[in-house]
Amino acid sequence: MTKSVTLRRPDDWHLHLRDGAMLAAVAAYSGHFGRAIIMPNLVPPVLTGAQAASYRDRILAALPENVTLRPLMTLYLTETTEAADLVQAHRDGIISAVKLYPAGATTNSASGVRDFAKVRPVLEAMAEAGIPLCMHGEVTDPAVDIFDREAVFIDRVLDPIRRAVPALRVVMEHITTQDGVDYVSANDNIGATITTHHLVINRNHILVGGIRPHYYCLPVAKRETHRLALRKAATSGDPRFFLGTDSAPHPDRAKESACGCAGCFTAPNTMSILAQVFEDDVALDKLEGFASLHGPAFYRMPVNDDTIRLVKRDTPAAYPTHITAGDETVTVFDPGFPLYWHVEDQA
Ligand SMILES: [Zn+2]
């Protein structure tokens, strides 16, 4: 018998679309989603309301006509961000959130925040205006082991900021640890995104039997106990946890290099992977909450009106292993299992 699930159209609460030829190549692959929070770490980063508006226009121009994805824009918080510009951009409906990168934490994060005291007035203005802060939750102190950077971030940065500005609504992005799950579960005014790939891979996938650059991402995947904690959180039905794919396309030549960059490109096959993950955990009934309901609730937006249908068939869905972006190829995330769940769009 054919198994199927119908969901409110899901949203992606953390997405990298890049710019130029890469944007043109990848944007349509997020077309199953109703909305996506678009990350601002371009070169140069998206710093002002005007820059966010023009980036939004470039994204809309890159989307094929039959794709209804609505980009929700963000600003890149720096130590010189002006609170007035940010609040105005939110009031004008240009931005939906602000992104905080600790300086040097990940791709194009050099302009990020070093001294958190300097951004406190902006955070207070955001709290008052109800603008969520999305945080890349890793410290960048070279003395801290890369596998501990999320846990240390909670103690050194996240918890102090939340105590200093308790009304600020915070999203701890792409959590990868039991520590992240525990912190978010125990607090209010906080949500967490979980990526597709962190539900599937642990650090062995990156390192055993040779280095697998296409499984390298930041935050780096942790040991198996942490992956299982993420699976439990995602399938728990707790509204604090929702989908943010962090789909992050990079040219293969930049990933397959002596110094390969971080990021997994999961946009094309995310919903098929998630259906399998939730089925494996006997939690298919929790998939709609995770992918379609909890995110809008946190962001105080309505859920999407339309639906998508996921159908389990005898033959795997055909996703490309690579896509082309200008002169480059980009590898699509390989979950390591066949994807029998097909997405049937019902726009
Ligand atoms: Zn990201």
Side-chain angles (χ1 to χ4, degrees), residues 127-145:
E128 201 179 310
I131 307 170
L133 177 70
C134 301
M135 298 176 104
H136 181 107
E138 289 189 290
V139 292
T140 51
D141 178 347
V144 178
D145 188 275

Side-chain angles (χ1 to χ4, degrees), residues 71-130:
L72 305 176
M73 308 310 293
T74 58
L75 291 188
Y76 187 118
L77 184 66
T78 71
E79 293 177 6
T80 56
T81 297
E82 285 179 30
D85 174 71
L86 181 156
V87 169
Q88 191 60 44
H90 184 255
R91 202 173 287 149
D92 293 343
I94 296 167
I95 63 158
S96 300
V98 171
K99 180 70 188 270
L100 185 153
Y101 291 98
T106 188
T107 308
N108 306 334
S109 60
S111 331
V113 175
R114 270 165 237 282
D115 178 359
F116 290 92
K118 290 198 177 136
V119 296
R120 175 137 173 209
V122 175
L123 300 182
E124 280 166 356
M126 287 172 57
E128 201 179 310

Side-chain angles (χ1 to χ4, degrees), residues 14 16 39 99 101 174 246:
H14 184 131
H16 298 269
M39 288 298 133
K99 180 70 188 270
Y101 291 98
H174 42 52
D246 197 11

Side-chain angles (χ1 to χ4, degrees), residues 146-176:
I146 191 167
F147 293 101
D148 298 334
R149 288 181 173 194
E150 181 171 295
V152 173
F153 178 86
I154 294 170
D155 293 338
R156 283 199 198 162
V157 181
L158 177 58
D159 197 58
I161 284 182
R162 293 189 60 256
R163 283 175 198 280
V165 192
L168 183 66
R169 290 184 316 119
V170 172
V171 185
M172 192 176 174
E173 298 281 59
H174 42 52
I175 57 169
T176 57

Side-chain angles (χ1 to χ4, degrees), residues 27-316:
Y29 285 101
S30 292
H32 298 313
F33 295 100
R35 294 162 290 199
I37 285 275
I38 308 297
M39 288 298 133
N41 59 332
L42 304 181
V43 186
V46 180
L47 299 177
T48 65
Q51 288 167 352
S54 99
Y55 184 30
R56 180 187 58 192
D57 292 345
R58 297 199 296 283
I59 294 168
L60 291 172
L63 289 170
E65 235 164 67
N66 60 339
V67 170
T68 54
L69 177 75
R70 218 155 37 89
L72 305 176
M73 308 310 293
T74 58
L75 291 188
Y76 187 118
L77 184 66
T78 71
E79 293 177 6
T80 56
T81 297
E82 285 179 30
D85 174 71
L86 181 156
V87 169
Q88 191 60 44
H90 184 255
R91 202 173 287 149
D92 293 343
I94 296 167
I95 63 158
S96 300
V98 171
K99 180 70 188 270
L100 185 153
Y101 291 98
T106 188
T107 308
N108 306 334
S109 60
S111 331
V113 175
R114 270 165 237 282
D115 178 359
F116 290 92
K118 290 198 177 136
V119 296
R120 175 137 173 209
V122 175
L123 300 182
E124 280 166 356
M126 287 172 57
E128 201 179 310
I131 307 170
L133 177 70
C134 301
M135 298 176 104
H136 181 107
E138 289 189 290
V139 292
T140 51
D141 178 347
V144 178
D145 188 275
I146 191 167
F147 293 101
D148 298 334
R149 288 181 173 194
E150 181 171 295
V152 173
F153 178 86
I154 294 170
D155 293 338
R156 283 199 198 162
V157 181
L158 177 58
D159 197 58
I161 284 182
R162 293 189 60 256
R163 283 175 198 280
V165 192
L168 183 66
R169 290 184 316 119
V170 172
V171 185
M172 192 176 174
E173 298 281 59
H174 42 52
I175 57 169
T176 57
T177 58
Q178 176 84 60
D179 312 72
V181 170
D182 291 346
Y183 185 80
V184 172
S185 303
N187 286 286
D188 292 319
N189 253 0
I190 186 165
T193 52
I194 301 178
T195 75
T196 309
H197 52 281
H198 286 120
L199 294 172
V200 174
I201 61 166
N202 63 33
R203 61 197 196 182
N204 281 9
H205 289 83
I206 310 169
L207 295 170
V208 171
I211 291 180
R212 315 281 168 150
H214 295 289
Y215 291 137
Y216 175 63
C217 59
L218 285 172
V220 70
K222 309 296 193 295
R223 63 169 66 241
E224 178 66 356
T225 48
H226 294 295
R227 185 185 74 95
L228 294 176
L230 299 178
R231 293 275 283 237
K232 209 168 159 199
T235 58
S236 67
D238 184 329
R240 295 179 185 86
F241 300 102
F242 43 90
L243 174 63
T245 65
D246 197 11
S247 179
H250 287 282
D252 284 338
R253 63 170 174 82
K255 300 269 310 164
E256 298 169 5
S257 137
C259 183
C261 59
C264 297
F265 179 48
T266 53
N269 52 8
T270 272
M271 291 311 299
S272 292
I273 297 171
L274 289 176
Q276 190 60 58
V277 163
F278 278 66
E279 184 188 24
D280 289 346
D281 288 2
V282 198
L284 268 177
D285 61 321
K286 299 292 198 300
L287 179 56
E288 184 179 44
F290 178 69
S292 315
L293 306 180
H294 301 164
F298 183 88
Y299 276 89
R300 297 177 176 161
M301 294 176 187
V303 299
N304 292 313
D305 287 329
D306 54 348
T307 58
I308 64 168
R309 187 159 170 257
L310 300 165
V311 184
K312 192 173 190 189
R313 301 196 182 283
D314 295 337
T315 49

